[in-house]
């Protein structure tokens, strides 16, 4: 694996992770609002775990980097 590929992978995986975290945060906010008050610690921790899982899933491969 060369440095150029690693940088492309890191950028693509990072973009996916940020998108996943944002989607998860929106879902968590919607869920907690239904319970009357947003629990920001819950939202943040849920989004962080989703981001970590996204990065780990990206180790298996990213279709946008298929050569």
């Amino acid at each position: 694996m060369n440095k150029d590929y690693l940088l492309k992978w890191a950028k693509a995986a990072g973009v996916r992770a940020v998108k996943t975290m944002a989607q998860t945060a929106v879902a968590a906010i919607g869920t907690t609002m239904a319970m009357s008050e947003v629990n920001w610690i819950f939202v943040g921790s849920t989004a962080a775990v989703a981001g970590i899982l996204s990065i780990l899933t990206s180790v298996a491969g990213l279709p946008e980097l298929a050569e």
Side-chain angles (χ1 to χ4, degrees):
M1 200 178 314
N2 64 25
K3 184 177 180 179
D4 186 45
Y5 179 82
L6 186 59
L7 289 173
K8 286 180 183 178
W9 180 89
K11 182 178 178 182
V15 167
R16 278 183 169 232
V18 169
K19 288 180 180 181
T20 299
M21 291 172 70
Q23 292 167 344
T24 302
V26 168
I29 290 168
T31 301
T32 58
M33 283 183 71
M35 294 185 278
S36 80
E37 187 175 317
V38 176
N39 182 337
W40 292 107
I41 294 172
F42 170 77
V43 172
S45 62
T46 302
V49 169
I52 292 167
L53 292 174
S54 176
I55 293 291
L56 292 173
T57 302
S58 294
V59 171
L62 294 169
E64 56 266 35
L65 295 182
E67 295 180 13

